[in-house]
Amino acid sequence: MAHTWDLPAPEAGPILRPNAAGLSPGELGSLLVNLGEPAWRGKQLFSGLLRQRWTRWEQFTTLSKALRARLEAQVDLAWPAIVLSETSADGSTKHVFRLSDERQIEGVFMPYEDRVTLCLSSQVGCAMGCTFCATGQMGIIRNLSAAEIVGQVVTMLNHHAHSFDRPVNLVFMGMGEPLHNLDHLMAAFEILTDAEGLAIPPRRITVSTAGLVNGIDRLGIYPRRPRLALSLNGTTDEHRSRIMPVNRVWNLEALADSLGRFPLQSGERITLEYVLLKGVTDSLEDGRRLAAYARRFPSKVNLIPFNPHEGSGFEPPEEARISALCRLLVEAGIPVSVRRSRGQDVAGACGQLVREGRFLKPQKPEA
Ligand code: SAH
Ligand code: SF4
């Protein structure tokens, strides 16, 4: 007779195979120990994946053929596949990736003279429902795994044959709300910053959030963590709640409190992203309130002229208004930059204003 405490007979479900790109050197080491190999081979495998950026088993010539075959039976080596790439006049390339379940995400490769910046997705879709954002309108489909986050980086670096002649910056400003996927995000962060692999310094990684206070507080607990950017996009609760539903849960005051207690290193600033929507967020009063908000904690402001998409109902601001807001912030002593629609900062009038701004506190050079 079966008792209530008897476990049901296990069903033959799918065998879950980990993806090698989402495993730390320690986890790879344990895997190899289980195969009767020494643990240090885990580091060897990890550096093949993240330093050599090998993507197929036959490239792992540091491991014997027999061991490769046994590994292949245990772990996947599946990378996001690039299905579409579009390069814009300014040199940045948008890639569309297909994941193993056929879902698609986007990443952007932006080359600069002194660095390359990769814009990454953290989720398929997004649950936050910001009214001006195309991703927000699609709703949330699922979180990305650590392997899929790491995979975007390796795939883009390989596609562009990046040789680390210039340092790599990573920004989580693609699809999704990274703080809704903090566990996988931080697992990927550990892999991407590991000295045996890409060794990207934590200060070169920025996570952008719509303002999940519980997520910001959790992020602040990690001793090693990425930099923080906050999408402000509104300067009164009434206005912000209208375009960012998250503001009804954590309003501007709760957000400022959480940013104020976020542990920063010396010289570190929180980036306030501010999308300029014509007639909605781009008034001079908004600029003044934005300056006052930015002064409450060490911050810099990134103005983002709205990037129009079909059916959004919003329009980009006038050029003259962008300059006026930029000037207003500079004169208020706030470091400010303008991000153009393709994701590249422009060293136009605004950048010059920053350099000439008399009231600017000396700023550490951008990492
Ligand atoms: N979910 C995170 C990160 C992804 S969105 C966040 O919201 O911060 C990255 C940035 O793009 C955010 O600052 C967001 O406000 C901005 N954004 C979204 N849609 C935009 C659009 N159509 N034009 C310009 N910026 C947009
Ligand atoms: Fe878009 Fe970011 Fe808002 Fe999500 S949180 S809907 S990605 S702006």
Side-chain angles (χ1 to χ4, degrees):
M1 194 176 93
H3 296 283
T4 47
W5 56 83
D6 287 342
L7 290 171
E11 282 176 34
I15 301 167
L16 289 177
R17 288 155 52 88
N19 190 332
L23 299 177
S24 66
E27 288 165 333
L28 290 170
S30 306
L31 191 91
L32 282 150
V33 167
N34 286 337
L35 294 176
E37 295 288 328
W40 57 263
R41 283 215 181 278
K43 271 192 188 174
Q44 218 176 18
L45 180 52
F46 183 82
S47 100
L49 288 160
L50 271 303
R51 187 177 293 170
Q52 316 298 334
R53 305 191 326 241
W54 289 330
T55 54
R56 289 171 291 109
W57 283 117
E58 58 265 31
Q59 292 172 297
F60 286 78
T61 44
T62 46
L63 307 174
S64 73
K65 219 172 167 183
L67 179 56
R68 289 194 318 247
R70 288 162 69 215
L71 274 169
E72 201 172 344
Q74 302 263 334
V75 276
D76 277 338
L77 202 54
W79 302 88
I82 292 181
V83 290
L84 182 74
S85 301
E86 283 172 348
T87 302
S88 69
D90 63 7
S92 61
T93 305
K94 185 180 94 174
H95 296 290
V96 178
F97 298 101
R98 189 184 53 230
L99 307 172
S100 51
D101 62 353
E102 305 293 316
R103 297 290 186 187
Q104 296 193 346
I105 51 165
E106 289 180 1
V108 188
F109 183 92
M110 293 171 273
Y112 296 85
E113 245 170 58
D114 59 343
R115 66 189 189 279
V116 299
T117 299
L118 274 54
C119 177
L120 307 172
S121 292
S122 56
Q123 299 182 307
V124 185
C126 182
M128 307 299 285
C130 304
T131 55
F132 52 87
C133 172
T135 310
Q137 300 315 300
M138 69 186 265
I140 178 70
I141 297 180
R142 68 172 176 84
N143 276 338
L144 295 187
S145 65
E148 288 166 333
I149 295 172
V150 171
Q152 293 171 69
V153 179
V154 172
T155 306
M156 280 195 269
L157 292 178
N158 279 346
H159 181 94
H160 294 271
H162 181 71
S163 61
F164 273 91
D165 51 334
R166 283 163 291 173
V168 172
N169 285 0
L170 305 178
V171 294
F172 285 88
M173 296 179 185
M175 289 167 82
E177 166 51 50
L179 298 188
H180 260 165
N181 188 17
L182 190 60
D183 292 341
H184 295 163
L185 179 88
M186 290 309 288
F189 172 84
E190 286 300 324
I191 292 169
L192 294 164
T193 56
D194 195 292
E196 304 288 331
L198 293 170
I200 298 175
R203 65 169 196 288
R204 291 192 175 274
I205 304 180
T206 300
V207 164
S208 171
T209 177
L212 291 173
V213 164
N214 59 353
I216 296 171
D217 286 343
R218 262 189 76 201
L219 182 67
I221 297 170
Y222 287 86
R224 288 178 82 249
R225 61 170 171 275
R227 298 236 158 159
L228 185 63
L230 173 89
S231 300
L232 192 64
N233 304 345
T235 59
T236 68
D237 281 326
E238 194 201 332
H239 290 153
R240 191 167 189 265
S241 294
R242 234 181 267 157
I243 53 172
M244 299 184 75
V246 65
N247 195 68
R248 296 173 205 154
V249 182
W250 290 289
N251 63 16
L252 287 168
E253 207 46 45
L255 207 46
D257 284 348
S258 130
L259 298 175
R261 63 179 173 258
F262 190 78
L264 298 176
Q265 284 172 3
S266 102
E268 184 180 345
R269 289 169 188 269
I270 292 169
T271 303
L272 293 178
E273 297 162 277
Y274 192 87
V275 176
L276 296 169
L277 306 166
K278 184 177 179 178
V280 181
T281 65
D282 69 344
S283 71
L284 295 176
E285 293 77 63
D286 279 318
R288 282 187 276 275
R289 284 189 293 256
L290 173 56
Y293 199 80
R295 261 198 294 268
R296 296 177 64 174
F297 39 84
S299 68
K300 52 186 174 182
V301 169
N302 190 202
L303 297 175
I304 314 175
F306 175 63
N307 196 7
H309 51 92
E310 236 181 84
S312 74
F314 294 104
E315 285 171 55
E318 309 280 347
E319 280 300 319
R321 182 53 62 89
I322 304 173
S323 315
L325 285 167
C326 198
R327 205 172 314 121
L328 186 155
L329 287 160
V330 169
E331 282 168 8
I334 312 291
V336 57
S337 56
V338 179
R339 192 196 305 166
R340 296 295 168 173
S341 58
R342 286 190 180 107
Q344 289 224 23
D345 288 0
V346 185
C350 193
Q352 283 147 14
L353 275 175
V354 173
R355 279 195 294 274
E356 287 166 17
R358 276 193 301 130
F359 302 96
L360 275 185
K361 294 169 200 96
Q363 231 191 311
K364 277 198 164 175
E366 198 52 8

